[in-house]
Amino acid sequence: MNERSERKLESVRSELFRHVTGNVVEIGPGTGTNLRYYNIAEHVTLVEPYSAMRRILSARVGTARNSNLFSIVDGRAESMPADSQSIDTVVSTLVLCSVPDLDRTLAEIRRILKPNGALVFLEHHVGNGIRSKTQHALTPFMKKYAANCHLDRNTPQAICNAGFSVQSVVAVPNDLSLRLLPSWPMTAGIAIAA
């Protein structure tokens, strides 16, 4: 995302990460945008499938004020290196649009979460009307050139269908346009493994 949009998301991330506690897994941390928001977690496992991203992430972890909090592992969201019911919180920010199999990813998140564990999420999703049609039309291009991004996923519905109960929603600014593209609907919140 561009820098302007990221600045607008700082307050959303700050609010979400007040709920990120215990033993944590973050899926697809990329270059480490979220590192500075981890303040009350006990340990954070950063599951990143791309080696180039892991190199950048490793450098950023090395200079983070709380670097001993993190470990970086090679892995995919559909098959995470964590025992069943061993994780307190899973974090996903702008990742669920790009996983190859959304339903399998959500099932895997449920598998590793402890009973009543939390999925903390910030994700874009399909809109309505002309916005939805535009998202459907652009998705093949985005999948090919933007790290498998599916603009047209109904992520909030998929989270509920996977057996999560959304406990709280955090307001997301609605003017997060990306250069020439319109802004896409986004949702953020905490979902509990029911």
Side-chain angles (χ1 to χ4, degrees):
M1 295 188 72
N2 66 29
E3 191 175 320
R4 178 180 154 272
S5 296
E6 272 302 330
R7 278 196 307 272
K8 290 186 177 212
L9 288 176
E10 284 179 356
S11 63
V12 176
R13 290 181 196 268
S14 292
E15 175 61 25
L16 285 174
F17 277 77
R18 291 184 330 110
H19 305 278
V20 177
T21 62
N23 191 13
V24 178
V25 166
E26 180 177 347
I27 60 173
T31 60
T33 300
N34 292 328
L35 296 179
R36 67 187 174 119
Y37 297 100
Y38 287 103
N39 295 313
I40 55 176
E42 292 171 19
H43 182 264
V44 182
T45 302
L46 304 165
V47 179
E48 176 55 55
Y50 299 108
S51 60
M53 290 292 192
R54 285 194 306 275
R55 284 192 297 277
I56 296 168
L57 184 61
S58 180
R60 288 191 74 182
V61 164
T63 61
R65 62 175 165 69
N66 51 354
S67 61
N68 60 341
L69 181 66
F70 303 102
S71 60
I72 302 169
V73 299
D74 178 5
R76 296 196 154 296
E78 298 89 348
S79 179
M80 286 186 266
D83 292 335
S84 295
Q85 299 186 349
S86 63
I87 303 299
D88 298 295
T89 310
V90 172
V91 172
S92 175
T93 61
L94 305 172
V95 171
L96 294 178
C97 64
S98 65
V99 295
D101 187 333
L102 178 57
D103 294 335
R104 186 170 163 198
T105 296
L106 291 168
E108 181 69 353
I109 291 170
R110 286 216 46 209
R111 180 190 71 78
I112 68 171
L113 279 174
K114 293 177 180 178
N116 297 312
L119 167 60
V120 174
F121 62 92
L122 166 62
E123 301 288 345
H124 65 79
H125 57 87
V126 70
N128 297 311
I130 190 70
R131 182 173 282 161
S132 171
K133 290 177 182 172
T134 303
Q135 288 175 286
H136 286 300
L138 288 175
T139 290
F141 174 82
M142 295 296 286
K143 285 168 53 179
K144 186 171 183 177
Y145 296 106
N148 199 43
C149 177
H150 293 70
L151 292 173
D152 57 357
R153 283 188 172 162
N154 190 340
T155 305
Q157 186 62 55
I159 289 170
C160 292
N161 290 349
F164 287 92
S165 172
V166 177
Q167 299 295 304
S168 64
V169 175
V170 175
V172 178
N174 62 4
D175 61 340
L176 296 171
S177 58
L178 303 175
R179 295 189 181 108
L180 300 176
L181 297 174
S183 62
W184 307 122
M186 295 185 77
T187 187
I190 295 95
I192 302 301

